[in-house]
Amino acid sequence: MLRVRELFEETARAELGIAIAAANEAAAYVEHLRSEVVAARESLAELQTKPSIDPGSLIAKDKCVVSLLMALRPAKTRHSQLLFASEKAKAIWMTKKAEAQALDKLSVRHRDKHREEVNIKENAEQDEVANSRAFAKSAAETLEEKSRKARTSPFREIATSHDSQ
């Protein structure tokens, strides 16, 4: 599940990159059109300062400025749309990234809890082994003590005291 979320996040990041690239390309085109408008206006102004004005050239330059201005408006609109799309893609990517991170944290928490449970179980098993060893040792010492007592007769003391008298 985590890998699927990571793939969604990677896909969203790639889509964000594409959207940003498209917005940057649209911005570059808008700047290009603006510079073309400025150059066309300068050319028109220069043409108007000449002593002999060719009406055909003047009309052509004016139409060039107008057509560039007509192309600039939709280019600006397109740039705005692509900026909006890139912001939307960024929001989607951030959501997918947050989901993947949350799932990763959940996975880490689950893994840590499992590790803790395994450690508790292992410690309990080790305690049980240690207790059984201690019990076995205690039982062996008790048997040895009983065996020692069994080898010595309680009447031995009486017999030795009668012998010495």
Side-chain angles (χ1 to χ4, degrees):
M1 184 72 153
L2 176 60
R3 184 64 188 137
V4 171
R5 295 289 182 173
E6 288 173 344
L7 288 173
F8 285 158
E9 186 263 334
E10 289 174 14
T11 303
R13 186 172 7 126
E15 289 172 0
L16 172 62
I18 291 168
I20 289 173
N24 290 340
E25 188 177 311
Y29 182 64
V30 167
E31 284 305 311
H32 170 72
L33 286 177
R34 283 183 182 158
S35 66
E36 287 292 318
V37 168
V38 168
R41 284 183 175 163
E42 286 175 356
S43 177
L44 181 61
E46 185 181 306
L47 189 62
Q48 290 175 344
T49 60
K50 289 188 177 179
S52 64
I53 299 176
D54 177 26
S57 295
L58 190 61
I59 292 171
K61 289 288 180 185
D62 190 47
K63 283 185 179 181
C64 179
V65 169
V66 170
S67 67
L68 286 171
L69 288 172
M70 295 288 284
L72 185 59
R73 185 170 293 125
K76 285 181 179 179
T77 303
R78 179 73 176 142
H79 177 243
S80 295
Q81 291 169 344
L82 290 173
L83 280 176
F84 179 75
S86 70
E87 288 301 315
K88 187 176 177 183
K90 183 178 181 181
I92 291 171
W93 169 68
M94 292 186 75
T95 301
K96 298 294 181 187
K97 183 178 179 181
E99 289 172 357
Q101 287 175 341
L103 197 55
D104 184 45
K105 285 180 184 177
L106 184 64
S107 174
V108 167
R109 223 180 336 194
H110 177 70
R111 184 177 56 236
D112 290 346
K113 184 178 179 182
H114 176 71
R115 226 181 255 143
E116 184 180 337
E117 288 172 356
V118 167
N119 287 340
I120 289 171
K121 185 178 178 183
E122 286 176 356
N123 288 340
E125 288 172 358
Q126 288 174 354
D127 288 347
E128 187 178 323
V129 168
N131 286 339
S132 63
R133 284 182 183 165
F135 180 75
K137 184 178 179 184
S138 173
E141 287 174 355
T142 305
L143 281 177
E144 187 178 307
E145 202 174 285
K146 283 181 181 178
S147 150
R148 212 178 314 128
K149 285 182 181 179
R151 279 186 246 138
T152 55
S153 168
F155 301 110
R156 186 172 180 195
E157 284 183 18
I158 297 172
T160 52
S161 64
H162 277 296
D163 290 340
S164 55
Q165 290 179 356

